[in-house]
Amino acid sequence: MAGEPLLETVAVSRTYGSRSRAVHALSRVSLRLWEGERLGVVGESGSGKSTLARILVALERPDQGEVRFQGRSVLSGRRQDLVSLRKGVQIIFQDPFGSLDPRLRVGQSVAEPLRALRVPGDHSRRVQQLLEAVGLPTGSERLYPHQLSGGQRQRVAIARALAPEPTALIADEAVSALDVSVRAQVLNLIADLVDRLGLSLIFISHDMAVIRHVCTRVLVLYRGEVVEEGPVDQIFEAPQHPYTAALIRSVPVLGGRIQDI
Ligand code: ADP
Ligand code: MG
């Protein structure tokens, strides 16, 4: 593809623990997200997906490697580059209880990134528009997180992520904790919003079926390494790595562990 990726990691590594008990969470992982693309990152629990997500949004630094947003390193320490990443790339986590402050009303939570990034204008109007865009009823802005269902809380987290008008969204197991009945609704909401707003998406999941539903290209992580990468349909039809084949076979067992590799 022409030009430069919107967001990328180059040979990123991250190790946790001491030298004697080191966990290599990521080993030389290179990822490229192109503008307007929906990239899936798939792997079983512990394969390094969330570590990669945190590194992509600079919540965490890699031990080695580079992270670039719009061609600029976000590890250089230049404030302006970090600010543009903070505004331009938003993340939605698995557990909206963890990402929403229980003491803040929904409206305050959604407005918070606007305040933090000093976005000018009428925030309350913008909050109304955002809550409507994620399908929450009028008046939701006055409620607290504990008064909402899991699906509604995740809608609030999505509204909050969209508030600063990002160019890219990272969803880390964003529907995995939801009841099966609402999972598809929230999944479709994310896909619709990404479409409508022309966003780029990194969709992280242990579930190949979900990835196939949302993404065009997928990167397979196994024990912190990229073992396979390519168009979703191609990888579904002809997986090259036994781990990918096992992930695909495990598709009907939603949330199940892979035992046969
Ligand atoms: P995933 O999101 O795919 O389940 P993670 O990125 O959460 O994988 O974890 C990858 C590996 O790194 C796991 O072995 C996990 O236990 C370890 N790990 C992740 N975060 C930390 C941390 N803060 N401290 C120590 N080990 C960690
Ligand atoms: Mg994770």
Side-chain angles (χ1 to χ4, degrees):
M1 261 179 257
E4 66 192 3
L6 179 65
L7 182 63
E8 69 176 329
T9 67
V10 184
V12 151
S13 297
R14 180 74 169 101
T15 301
Y16 294 112
S18 59
R19 189 173 294 188
S20 56
R21 296 193 57 176
V23 175
H24 299 286
L26 293 175
S27 303
R28 300 188 60 81
V29 169
S30 295
L31 168 155
R32 299 179 135 198
L33 176 70
W34 300 91
E35 183 123 25
E37 185 184 33
R38 301 165 172 206
L39 173 67
V41 175
V42 73
E44 68 177 323
S45 173
S47 57
K49 304 183 299 295
S50 293
T51 302
L52 182 59
R54 291 195 299 271
I55 286 174
L56 280 165
V57 294
L59 286 174
E60 191 169 323
R61 286 181 76 89
D63 302 322
Q64 279 163 26
E66 183 58 273
V67 184
R68 292 193 200 102
F69 176 54
Q70 294 174 327
R72 324 239 344 168
S73 171
V74 300
L75 303 173
S76 66
R78 275 188 305 267
R79 211 184 106 72
Q80 189 46 50
D81 293 338
L82 201 56
V83 169
S84 67
L85 179 81
R86 291 267 181 267
K87 187 175 184 303
V89 184
Q90 295 295 315
I91 186 162
I92 306 163
F93 295 102
Q94 172 168 352
D95 172 19
F97 253 133
S99 54
L100 296 178
D101 188 333
R103 297 162 304 179
L104 294 186
R105 294 179 195 272
V106 163
Q108 293 171 298
S109 267
V110 175
E112 204 257 340
L114 297 172
R115 279 198 301 114
L117 292 160
R118 298 198 177 86
V119 175
D122 181 355
H123 291 181
S124 65
R125 217 190 110 95
R126 175 98 180 105
V127 167
Q128 294 292 341
Q129 289 168 342
L130 286 161
L131 292 176
E132 197 184 314
V134 298
L136 285 169
T138 323
S140 303
E141 68 278 4
R142 290 190 298 275
L143 300 177
Y144 288 95
H146 75 267
Q147 295 175 294
L148 303 175
S149 69
Q152 288 173 325
R153 280 197 294 273
Q154 202 55 304
R155 286 174 193 266
V156 175
I158 294 166
R160 183 182 148 91
L162 295 177
E165 299 186 355
T167 50
L169 215 53
I170 299 179
D172 183 4
E173 301 274 16
V175 300
S176 304
L178 301 177
D179 289 345
V180 177
S181 57
V182 293
R183 201 175 286 170
Q185 291 169 17
V186 175
L187 199 60
N188 288 334
L189 174 69
I190 293 173
D192 285 350
L193 288 167
V194 162
D195 244 7
R196 193 141 58 83
L197 302 171
L199 303 178
S200 311
L201 175 71
I202 297 180
F203 194 91
I204 298 172
S205 178
H206 64 279
D207 187 334
M208 266 295 224
V210 172
I211 297 265
R212 190 179 206 183
H213 187 69
V214 179
C215 301
T216 50
R217 194 160 65 84
V218 65
L219 182 149
V220 183
L221 267 188
Y222 177 53
R223 295 188 178 175
E225 289 182 42
V226 178
V227 294
E228 188 156 0
E229 180 176 6
V232 173
D233 289 340
Q234 183 184 311
I235 289 201
F236 242 87
E237 276 152 37
Q240 298 300 302
H241 195 282
Y243 177 69
T244 313
L247 278 174
I248 293 169
R249 275 202 305 279
S250 77
V251 155
V253 198
L254 287 174
R257 295 272 302 179
I258 296 159
Q259 264 123 21
D260 52 350
I261 49 170

